[in-house]
Amino acid sequence: MRRGKGEQEAVDPNEPVGYYGLQVGTPVVGTDGRSLGTVQRVVIHERERLLDGIVVQAEDGRRFVDAPEVVSMTRSRVEVEYDEAGFLALPITGGVTATLDQGIRRLRRRR
């Protein structure tokens, strides 16, 4: 069926997406179905054009989840390979941005 002007195709929130379609703020859940936080940043290996991982904003800080531990990504949620206890055992990080900022500051001091 052809769509007329102004008509939009319905978007399925459970449709799988690639890293390019993952939005900041998407809920992240564990294998036990519990909410772990939200996507704060999608980390991409630019040269290889692959997902490197995601930074999850949890109540107590940010945690990095490596790409192999990402089970599924849809428009409505991301499921990771950890249950709540396993996720909370991950180290709290300043995220990739904080690491890059520290490196840039070091380079500037050397000049």
Side-chain angles (χ1 to χ4, degrees), residues 20-74:
Y20 49 83
L22 194 55
Q23 300 292 312
V24 170
T26 301
V28 177
V29 298
T31 54
D32 56 3
R34 292 185 178 209
S35 175
L36 302 175
T38 58
V39 173
Q40 194 273 332
R41 183 179 190 87
V42 179
V43 183
I44 301 164
H45 188 287
E46 291 293 336
R47 188 178 59 198
E48 300 293 329
R49 294 190 177 179
L50 296 171
L51 176 68
D52 195 29
I54 58 172
V55 177
V56 178
Q57 180 65 57
E59 288 183 16
D60 62 346
R62 297 176 184 160
R63 290 179 170 82
F64 178 76
V65 177
D66 202 18
E69 277 72 46
V70 176
V71 175
S72 67
M73 298 183 295
T74 67

Side-chain angles (χ1 to χ4, degrees), residues 93-107:
T93 178
V96 175
T97 304
T99 303
L100 291 174
D101 288 345
Q102 290 170 357
I104 290 169
R105 277 191 227 114
R106 265 184 263 142
L107 286 174

